[in-house]
Amino acid sequence: GILIFFMNSAEASLQNNSTAVQFTWLCPRDADVCKNTSDLTYFGWVCFSLLMFANLGTDLIGGAKLIYNSSQARHSFGRRI
């Protein structure tokens, strides 16, 4: 089942655009100049950064609170063992 999918993907020809992989540089055989086909913009990077910070920010805050609370000496060393 799934092995056939990976085998078909590995046999993809890179000479035409029949692959599911998008490359950022396109270098035709009959040209000396390569073209940048990337469609990334600064707005996309800003949106990506905001979403990643919002997603990982809760983990960062939770981890900082865990370190802070674990460093407090509430019990003596003998009671903690």
Side-chain angles (χ1 to χ4, degrees):
I2 196 163
L3 180 62
I4 294 172
F5 171 74
F6 287 115
M7 288 173 55
N8 288 338
S9 297
E11 293 177 3
S13 174
L14 299 178
Q15 301 302 323
N16 53 17
N17 293 333
S18 66
T19 61
V21 179
Q22 180 183 2
F23 297 99
T24 57
W25 288 95
L26 179 65
C27 301
R29 286 179 172 246
D30 58 348
D32 293 334
V33 180
C34 296
K35 294 186 287 185
N36 187 4
T37 59
S38 175
D39 57 352
L40 300 176
T41 61
Y42 288 112
F43 179 71
W45 281 111
V46 169
C47 289
F48 172 75
S49 301
L50 288 175
L51 289 172
M52 288 302 293
F53 181 75
N55 191 17
L56 297 176
T58 56
D59 292 335
L60 183 67
I61 292 170
K65 286 171 55 178
L66 181 68
I67 292 172
Y68 174 75
N69 288 333
S70 67
S71 67
Q72 294 179 350
R74 295 184 181 173
H75 301 291
S76 67
F77 183 71
R79 289 190 65 187
R80 282 186 272 173
I81 295 178

